[in-house]
Amino acid sequence: MFRNVGRKLAIFNTLIVVGLIIVIGLLTYAALRRNLQREVDRALEDRIASVTSPLLPDGGDSSVRVALDDDDDEEDHDEDDDDDDDEHREDREIVSSGDTVLLLTDRDGQITENPRDINLADIPVREGVEQALAGKIDVRSVELSDDTHMRVMTVPLVDDGQIVGTVQALRSLDEHEEQLEIVRNMTLLGVGLGLVVAGPVGYFLSRRAMVPINTAFDRQRTFVADASHELRTPLTLIRANAEFAGRHPERKVQEIEPSLQRIVGEVDRVSAMVTNLLTIARLDAGRLELACASSDLGEIARAAVESMQPVAEEAGVSLVASVDGQIEAIVDAPRIEQVIRIVLDNAIRHTPSGGEVVVEAVAEDRWREIVVRDTGSGIAPDDLPYVFERFSRQDSARNREHGGVGLGLAIAKAIIEAHGGTIAIASTPHEGTRVSLRLPAQAV
């Protein structure tokens, strides 16, 4: 039933993993791009400042010329090369090398200083020059005709409050684009690995995660089926006895009394089962409230023994409470008495006439223990691990024989665990069974 749910969960997990990889990749790409761009912009600002700062005190172009000429030693340019193709190739190599290229223009946008002697149609970047001549500092990224990516900063040159020209600095972004390309490729690789790895792994983990759900659903389905079966039997008997009594309306009440008694008995059995089912439903929903208070477990055990004495006498079983003194614990007294009665009921039902059932209470440092021992038929080792299951097969078979409904021990275990305690059963076939109820001295 939950197979499609597992697949959808695996797909959902895969989409989450891939989505996280994409988001992280995009954030990394954006942060790296921004940082690299800031680094280039700072380098361009510093380079332009090294040129324009000498100009301001002198107010003449000579200082600019000298500053530009000082940068001319970065790379020698072969001015004697008359081959235009080779010259353009060298110019493009200079532009794409990662060095900062500086150009000075006049008020008409014409190049007045070109220390690297760059002769390319794309340079200077005219849009930047126009913005600088308009009094704005222009920073932009452009792509040249040879697919070279450049970062361009253009600033106006001002003399006596008048714009006399511009300084444009250019620097290749190809090296940075390579770094960004690595991030893009790693993101794509991560997405691919996410699809290849997260899909199967997510499906495997989802199947493992669904195991408890499937188990719980199977147990619930089995529980409903068993409860339906247990309810069907008494309802069938009630119907059969009622029909038998109805077929002979002329008979006296004394004659149909056995049928009526059987109907009452089966109704009691159904009522007990419904009560137990409601108790289990509250336990499963966590809605069983415990009214814990300081109580004497010895007194609780004696009260349970007293209430079960008529059942024990009818079965010919000796029922004894061996409890000395007070054994205080913080518990819900009615619920603990209910548990003891459940255990006593099982012990009496499965102890032959002439047998004995003994209830003891023991106080330890931080624990209190109630022990119920019987000399009954015991439980087979193969059946012992399943005695606390609802409608367990061996328990149902024994209870049908003795009139139980197969839910008592499951309820007892849930109530004890709700108190923070434990219940354990040790049994030897044909010798007897020992049930231990351990409860903390203080409420949990």
Side-chain angles (χ1 to χ4, degrees):
M1 177 177 179
F2 295 101
R3 183 174 300 175
N4 290 333
V5 176
R7 290 174 181 172
K8 291 179 180 179
L9 183 60
I11 294 173
F12 181 70
N13 290 336
T14 302
L15 292 177
I16 289 178
V17 172
V18 173
L20 286 175
I21 293 174
I22 292 175
V23 170
I24 293 173
L26 290 176
L27 292 176
T28 303
Y29 179 85
L32 179 61
R33 187 182 185 87
R34 184 174 61 252
N35 291 335
L36 292 176
Q37 184 171 294
R38 288 178 179 175
E39 177 186 338
V40 173
D41 289 349
R42 283 195 297 268
L44 294 178
E45 288 177 1
D46 294 342
R47 191 69 186 93
I48 290 177
S50 70
V51 174
T52 57
S53 56
L55 175 64
L56 298 178
D58 297 336
D61 293 343
S62 59
S63 59
V64 178
R65 184 185 303 276
V66 171
L68 293 172
D69 289 343
D70 287 343
D71 189 53
D72 206 15
D73 59 356
E74 291 183 6
E75 181 176 334
D76 293 332
H77 188 67
D78 188 2
E79 298 180 355
D80 296 331
D81 192 347
D82 295 331
D83 190 335
D84 290 342
D85 292 338
D86 291 343
E87 183 176 342
H88 288 166
R89 184 164 50 251
E90 290 183 12
D91 291 344
R92 296 194 180 281
E93 288 177 357
I94 294 173
V95 170
S96 62
S97 65
D99 293 339
T100 301
V101 177
L102 285 171
L103 297 172
L104 187 67
T105 69
D106 57 19
R107 293 181 59 181
D108 298 325
Q110 301 299 317
I111 298 177
T112 58
E113 295 293 338
N114 186 3
R116 305 296 294 272
D117 199 17
I118 303 298
N119 184 21
L120 295 174
D122 308 288
I123 296 176
V125 177
R126 294 299 174 182
E127 294 83 355
V129 172
E130 292 173 359
Q131 292 293 321
L133 290 174
K136 301 176 181 178
I137 297 177
D138 183 80
V139 183
R140 66 180 64 212
S141 297
V142 299
E143 184 176 351
L144 303 184
S145 58
D146 62 345
D147 297 331
T148 301
H149 293 83
M150 304 292 294
R151 188 69 172 169
V152 182
M153 179 179 290
T154 311
V155 300
L157 285 177
V158 181
D159 186 16
D160 291 335
Q162 299 293 323
I163 297 176
V164 298
T166 67
V167 175
Q168 188 172 90
L170 306 92
R171 186 169 180 176
S172 172
L173 295 175
D174 287 347
E175 181 179 349
H176 293 168
E177 288 296 329
E178 292 177 359
Q179 298 179 35
L180 293 172
E181 183 69 21
I182 293 175
V183 175
R184 287 195 295 267
N185 292 337
M186 292 300 296
T187 301
L188 293 176
L189 179 61
V191 170
L193 289 176
L195 291 173
V196 172
V197 176
V201 172
Y203 182 69
F204 171 75
L205 293 178
S206 66
R207 290 191 61 182
R208 291 195 61 182
M210 296 301 295
V211 168
I213 299 176
N214 286 323
T215 301
F217 178 76
D218 290 340
R219 290 182 61 185
Q220 186 71 17
R221 183 168 53 189
T222 302
F223 174 73
V224 171
D226 289 341
S228 301
H229 175 73
E230 294 292 334
L231 287 171
R232 183 175 59 187
T233 300
L235 291 176
T236 301
L237 293 175
I238 291 173
R239 181 183 180 87
N241 284 280
E243 290 178 347
F244 176 78
R247 283 198 298 267
H248 304 281
E250 72 283 357
R251 290 188 176 183
K252 296 180 180 181
V253 175
Q254 292 81 358
E255 295 178 354
I256 62 173
E257 185 178 359
S259 296
L260 297 177
Q261 290 178 347
R262 284 192 290 270
I263 290 175
V264 172
E266 294 301 327
V267 169
D268 290 340
R269 186 167 182 264
V270 172
S271 177
M273 180 181 295
V274 171
T275 300
N276 288 334
L277 289 174
L278 289 174
T279 301
I280 286 180
R282 292 192 184 99
L283 288 167
D284 289 344
R287 292 177 0 199
L288 184 68
E289 297 181 359
L290 298 177
C292 293
S294 179
S295 306
D296 180 5
L297 291 183
E299 183 62 30
I300 295 173
R302 285 189 289 268
V305 168
E306 184 178 351
S307 67
M308 295 298 294
Q309 280 292 354
V311 178
E313 291 174 1
E314 183 179 353
V317 175
S318 173
L319 179 58
V320 180
S322 178
V323 180
D324 296 327
Q326 290 188 343
I327 301 176
E328 295 293 330
I330 307 298
V331 297
D332 185 332
R335 291 295 181 184
I336 297 302
E337 184 176 346
Q338 178 186 1
V339 171
I340 297 174
R341 284 201 304 267
I342 289 172
V343 176
L344 288 177
D345 182 65
N346 278 342
I348 293 169
R349 289 178 187 276
H350 305 299
T351 299
S353 179
E356 182 182 44
V357 176
V358 179
V359 180
E360 299 172 336
V362 181
E364 300 178 2
D365 292 338
R366 293 182 299 173
W367 294 91
R368 304 292 183 261
E369 186 176 20
I370 299 174
V371 178
V372 177
R373 294 185 289 103
D374 65 60
T375 58
S377 58
I379 304 172
D382 292 340
D383 295 336
L384 197 58
Y386 307 102
V387 293
F388 294 113
E389 290 188 1
R390 303 165 186 178
F391 297 115
S392 59
R393 291 188 179 89
Q394 72 288 340
D395 197 38
S396 295
R398 291 171 13 145
N399 278 307
R400 279 193 293 271
E401 180 183 352
H402 296 284
V405 294
L407 294 173
L409 290 178
I411 293 174
K413 182 175 184 291
I415 292 175
I416 293 297
E417 290 180 347
H419 281 80
T422 60
I423 180 171
I425 296 181
S427 184
T428 303
H430 310 299
E431 292 185 11
T433 301
R434 181 182 187 274
V435 181
S436 170
L437 310 174
R438 284 176 59 84
L439 293 163
Q442 300 296 325
V444 294

